[in-house]
Amino acid sequence: MVDQDLRSTALEAVHESLGAMFTDFAGWRMPVRYDSDLAEHRAVRESAGLFDLSHMGEIHLRGPQSAEALDHALAGKLSAMGIGRAKYSLLLTEQGGVIDDVITYRLAEEHFLVVANASNAAVDAEELRARAAGFDVEVDDASDRTSLLAVQGPAAEQILVDLLASEDSGIAGITAEDLTSMKYYRVAEGTYRGGELLVARTGYTGEDGFELYVGDEVSVELWERLAAVGGDRLVPCGLACRDTLRLEAGMPLYGNELGRELLPSQAGLGRIVALASKGDFVGRAGIEAAEVEGLPVLVGLAAEGRRAARAGSAVRDASGSEVGAVTSGALAPTLGHPIAMAYVDPAASEVGTELVVDVRGKDLPVRVVEMPFYRRV
């Protein structure tokens, strides 16, 4: 039975026709898997996966002072970005905690696109509007009319090149050379069926890949064309494998590794905060005033066997004292052993430290390891 209170993407009927199993994610009815989590995970690592990420938020800032407004609103120095580039940044509270982690694209001298996590899209838009007050800039939340499709994996580039070369591809303004020469965290603008198309070399899987932004009205057609061109190389993928892929890649998930009560430095993201390269911004005073000594820090944990720790599992040291808690954990499909991220006391954070995690009442020996757990060659 469909929950009528959940929001749906423009691709819901496509997912249903493919036999997807659905889950409630941040108030959206999203495909969690189509067949096998492991098969979908493996497809992204070995070939390519096709994801519907239309639950994410897309917020445009346009105007003469859009760069200055974002410098004020976000922790990074967005005004230093070149056109066609992307930047990972943080939206902070006044106290320096993380409201959201976002990717910002500079599409023109006076036009930026901020992509927000689904659970925070409305909050981020409201915050950006409030923080843009006093600047000559227009904030346009396009989330309700924008679809986001991701093609992730080593075959992603060739699949998109093949799409461009196909008869009546529908794409104009972007060439095969634009794609093959595009570096990581870059974006190109064109059109699909006459509407705006953005193709960015970004992703959340640890693999090469692209994210495509189009209007909702053409998203089904684009999905179907990608699937047809991709053939056996391209597998539809749900949120379950996206989570194990990002975990293997050591990428934080908002609500697990990031939150309003956590400072960027605790998550290893202190470098994202542009304290040295720009002036005042929301959260700067809180970051500078924070007493960080002794605060828990994010680490990677690895174990043997098949049992995996889950979010909330207690972490203890050799003496049995609780020193932290797991934020994300899984049996890593690519690696074949359990991995986890956890916040632990600084004294227990050194690589090589032996710890114990409680897995359903049983002790699981783990050791602190460097992240990411997986890095593509």
Side-chain angles (χ1 to χ4, degrees):
M1 184 176 178
V2 177
D3 189 333
Q4 299 299 323
D5 294 331
L6 294 180
R7 301 176 68 184
S8 299
T9 76
L11 289 155
E12 182 176 55
V14 174
H15 305 316
E16 289 179 338
S17 72
L18 292 170
M21 293 183 63
F22 290 86
T23 188
D24 175 356
F25 186 86
W28 290 80
R29 185 173 183 253
M30 297 297 296
V32 66
R33 68 180 59 82
Y34 297 85
D35 183 13
S36 158
D37 299 354
L38 294 177
E40 292 169 23
H41 182 110
R42 189 177 304 112
V44 175
R45 290 281 183 250
E46 297 177 358
S47 183
L50 178 58
F51 297 82
D52 175 13
L53 306 178
S54 304
H55 59 322
M56 302 287 279
E58 293 85 18
I59 306 156
H60 294 264
L61 285 87
R62 299 179 180 88
Q65 291 188 304
S66 51
E68 292 89 339
L70 283 172
D71 277 354
H72 170 69
L74 300 178
K77 189 173 182 180
L78 285 304
S79 60
M81 291 172 61
I83 296 171
R85 293 184 176 241
K87 189 178 185 67
Y88 177 80
S89 193
L90 301 170
L91 185 69
L92 302 178
T93 67
E94 292 281 0
Q95 296 73 34
V98 179
I99 295 174
D100 202 7
D101 61 331
V102 299
I103 293 179
T104 301
Y105 302 96
R106 189 167 201 167
L107 305 179
E109 189 67 25
E110 298 181 358
H111 182 192
F112 293 79
L113 169 64
V114 179
V115 179
N117 285 299
S119 58
N120 296 319
V123 170
D124 289 6
E126 184 178 338
E127 283 288 343
L128 288 171
R129 283 197 187 93
R131 296 178 188 193
F135 293 92
D136 188 359
V137 59
E138 176 191 348
V139 179
D140 172 24
D141 184 0
S143 305
D144 286 343
R145 60 181 189 270
T146 305
S147 290
L148 169 54
L149 281 63
V151 182
Q152 298 283 299
E157 178 184 287
Q158 189 58 53
I159 289 169
L160 289 188
V161 168
D162 291 347
L163 174 62
L164 284 172
S166 65
E167 185 178 354
D168 189 27
S169 73
I171 297 175
I174 297 176
T175 67
E177 185 179 356
D178 291 334
L179 296 179
T180 57
S181 64
M182 187 185 293
K183 295 181 179 179
Y184 191 47
Y185 263 58
R186 301 293 196 276
V187 62
E189 282 191 89
T191 62
Y192 182 73
R193 300 300 178 204
E196 185 178 21
L197 166 68
L198 300 177
V199 179
R201 200 159 204 156
T202 48
Y204 192 53
T205 62
E207 293 297 336
D208 186 23
F210 296 84
E211 295 181 315
L212 296 83
Y213 298 83
V214 294
D216 285 347
E217 67 278 2
V218 295
S219 60
V220 170
E221 183 185 357
L222 179 57
W223 175 287
E224 291 176 344
R225 287 196 63 82
L226 284 165
V229 170
D232 292 341
R233 297 172 295 171
L234 187 62
V235 172
C237 293
L239 295 185
C241 82
R242 190 167 184 254
D243 192 49
T244 52
L245 289 161
R246 71 90 192 168
L247 178 55
E248 288 185 342
M251 295 177 169
L253 174 65
Y254 189 87
N256 290 44
E257 288 74 42
L258 301 173
R260 288 174 179 256
E261 304 307 314
L262 293 163
L263 298 170
S265 59
Q266 292 180 258
L269 298 176
R271 69 190 183 283
I272 302 298
V273 183
L275 292 174
S277 62
K278 70 173 184 176
D280 195 24
F281 58 90
V282 178
R284 181 183 187 112
I287 293 282
E288 293 179 329
E291 181 54 63
V292 299
E293 187 174 352
L295 291 180
V297 294
L298 188 65
V299 299
L301 302 175
E304 304 297 330
R306 310 293 291 178
R307 290 189 299 139
R310 302 299 180 187
S313 298
V315 182
R316 302 192 304 273
D317 62 16
S319 70
S321 298
E322 190 167 323
V323 295
V326 170
T327 54
S328 297
L331 177 61
T334 307
L335 307 175
H337 63 77
I339 58 173
M341 286 194 271
Y343 276 99
V344 301
D345 295 342
S349 66
E350 186 176 345
V351 171
T353 301
E354 301 288 341
L355 300 168
V356 173
V357 172
D358 179 19
V359 180
R360 293 180 291 278
K362 295 184 178 180
D363 287 348
L364 175 67
V366 297
R367 66 187 181 283
V368 178
V369 297
E370 291 184 353
M371 289 193 288
F373 304 99
Y374 164 85
R375 195 189 303 272
R376 66 186 173 95
V377 178

